[in-house]
Amino acid sequence: MREYKYIGNFSIKNFFFRRIFKLATGLIFVLAFAFVIHPWLIRLLELQPIATPGIKPFLLFVANFFYNPANDSLIYIKVICYLYMFIQFYLVLGLILRFFHKYLTWVSIVLILVGIVARWIHLVNSTDFSLDPLAYGIPVGFG
């Protein structure tokens, strides 16, 4: 929004570039810990192995849709999922600011309605919505 105010234009390239630098350092550190350092420490110290999720959803940036937050024994996995929520939020926000900036009011209304419906679906199914960006992060952030 600041770019529209000061220069009257929006550069999606600059927007994503700034977000990558903000999120990449933490994400790289936590992914390295989760899939390299932690398994290595478990083997080195001869501890009982802890089942960790596969790496494929983490490489596709959709792990937060498949992780069950009730399993708090792997807190770093939850941190990765929250970082993915930020990435998904910024991806959608950047695309909306680039292509739908003239319709922000309508986009906000639609996203708030999507968030209410998604949260209602979670409540009806008795599932956790804390890592679902549709039910929690994206609509509230845009609203």
Side-chain angles (χ1 to χ4, degrees):
M1 297 304 287
R2 191 179 315 153
E3 285 187 50
Y4 281 124
K5 181 178 179 181
Y6 291 112
I7 59 176
N9 197 1
F10 178 76
S11 169
I12 196 164
K13 180 179 77 171
N14 291 339
F15 178 82
F16 286 136
F17 192 68
R18 288 190 305 268
R19 292 330 178 262
I20 287 170
F21 276 116
K22 285 183 179 181
L23 296 172
T25 53
L27 184 61
I28 290 169
F29 175 75
V30 177
L31 284 173
F33 179 81
F35 295 105
V36 178
I37 297 169
H38 185 255
W40 175 74
L41 285 174
I42 295 291
R43 284 191 308 276
L44 179 71
L45 301 174
E46 297 176 358
L47 299 173
Q48 182 177 1
I50 299 173
T52 57
I55 195 167
K56 187 176 180 181
F58 292 91
L59 296 176
L60 297 174
F61 293 94
V62 293
N64 56 314
F65 293 109
F66 301 107
Y67 178 67
N68 181 6
N71 182 9
D72 285 334
S73 63
L74 301 174
I75 191 70
Y76 54 84
I77 300 295
K78 200 169 189 175
V79 170
I80 294 170
C81 290
Y82 281 118
L83 284 171
Y84 284 162
M85 279 183 57
F86 280 109
I87 291 169
Q88 293 157 358
F89 170 80
Y90 286 132
L91 176 68
V92 172
L93 178 65
L95 294 174
I96 286 174
L97 288 177
R98 176 67 177 110
F99 298 110
F100 300 105
H101 65 276
K102 294 180 182 178
Y103 309 104
L104 288 181
T105 303
W106 288 108
V107 169
S108 297
I109 291 169
V110 167
L111 288 174
I112 289 170
L113 293 174
V114 166
I116 291 169
V117 169
R119 189 167 294 197
W120 178 78
I121 290 171
H122 281 287
L123 292 174
V124 167
N125 294 327
S126 299
T127 56
D128 188 25
F129 59 83
S130 64
L131 296 176
D132 183 357
L134 291 177
Y136 187 67
I138 292 176
V140 173
F142 284 12

